[in-house]
Amino acid sequence: MKVIMVAVSSINGKLTKGEETNVYSWTSKEDAKIFFSLIEKHNLIVMGSKTYEAARTIIKLRPNKLRMVLTRNRRKYKSDMVKGSLEFTSESPKDLIKRLEKQGYKEMLLVGGTEINSAFLKNSLVDELHLTIEPLIFGKGKNLVSEVEFEVALELLEVKKLNKKGTLYLIYSISKAKLLGY
């Protein structure tokens, strides 16, 4: 399965502005347009529970579009589950991919945060990174990945300047992943 990780960050790699969970409070309309076009294009979207909590009010469920939320506490979301549209799992990223491949999925859009991004990257499961960089610097906020030991080499495939402020949209292929110390 092809896994495409999508993220927007400040120049210094922050996914959030301090404790603010609403990413749309600081990101550009150009980034939103790209992000929602990717959401529209993909029928499998995977995120963690923190991303789900931040976005739950704007998620529009549709048949034939599965949103899968990785969580340690599936019971907490029992009333939110809509079979085939919004599901919750505590599977490992590898096991989740295996199961979804068996169900016929060929491509996954990964829209996670720090922990989910790290789990997929650390296990060499990401094929592409679509990264929007907003021309901002935040002193505090969540990082693109958590501080665990791993290394991923990327190759730039495409770069687009999205607006006059200098918002950049970058597409990278993941050329190799190497775990350090494991």
Side-chain angles (χ1 to χ4, degrees):
M1 177 181 306
K2 181 176 182 180
V3 177
I4 301 168
M5 182 168 59
V6 180
V8 59
S9 80
S10 65
I11 285 177
N12 60 325
K14 301 296 181 187
L15 300 180
T16 62
K17 183 178 179 182
E19 297 300 316
E20 174 65 57
T21 58
N22 179 8
V23 69
Y24 304 108
S25 70
W26 60 270
T27 56
S28 63
K29 64 181 190 251
E30 294 86 1
D31 171 67
K33 184 177 178 182
I34 287 171
F35 179 73
F36 287 111
S37 72
L38 287 168
I39 292 289
E40 189 63 35
K41 178 182 169 189
H42 289 85
N43 65 350
L44 174 60
I45 301 153
V46 175
M47 67 191 84
S49 58
K50 291 175 189 165
T51 301
Y52 172 68
E53 292 287 349
R56 73 190 309 167
T57 59
I58 62 166
I59 292 174
K60 294 177 176 78
L61 299 181
R62 290 190 230 143
N64 303 320
K65 186 179 288 286
L66 176 60
R67 284 178 167 81
M68 183 66 67
V69 180
L70 292 165
T71 178
R72 291 180 187 98
N73 186 0
R74 288 179 33 207
R75 278 185 252 156
K76 177 180 176 181
Y77 300 104
K78 190 174 183 178
S79 64
D80 290 7
M81 192 183 110
V82 178
K83 186 78 173 148
S85 293
L86 179 61
E87 298 181 11
F88 299 84
T89 183
S90 56
E91 293 169 284
S92 72
K94 282 182 184 179
D95 290 342
L96 177 64
I97 286 174
K98 283 180 195 173
R99 179 171 64 84
L100 293 171
E101 279 178 328
K102 286 178 185 172
Q103 293 177 13
Y105 290 98
K106 304 231 183 295
E107 212 169 75
M108 171 191 295
L109 194 64
L110 182 65
V111 297
T114 302
E115 290 179 41
I116 297 302
N117 291 344
S118 297
F120 276 78
L121 285 167
K122 183 177 170 183
N123 286 288
S124 303
L125 300 173
V126 179
D127 299 291
E128 280 185 11
L129 169 61
H130 291 226
L131 178 64
T132 302
I133 300 177
E134 297 287 358
L136 300 164
I137 296 174
F138 306 135
K140 284 190 170 194
K142 296 193 178 188
N143 294 322
L144 179 64
V145 295
S146 57
E147 294 183 13
V148 294
E149 296 264 350
F150 69 94
E151 181 179 320
V152 178
L154 308 170
E155 182 179 331
L156 184 64
L157 299 177
E158 188 176 328
V159 61
K160 289 182 189 172
K161 183 177 174 184
L162 299 181
N163 57 32
K164 289 180 183 178
K165 291 194 292 186
T167 299
L168 299 176
Y169 179 61
L170 309 168
I171 299 175
Y172 289 95
S173 69
I174 308 292
S175 54
K176 72 175 188 178
K178 180 172 106 181
L179 297 178
L180 300 175
Y182 293 99

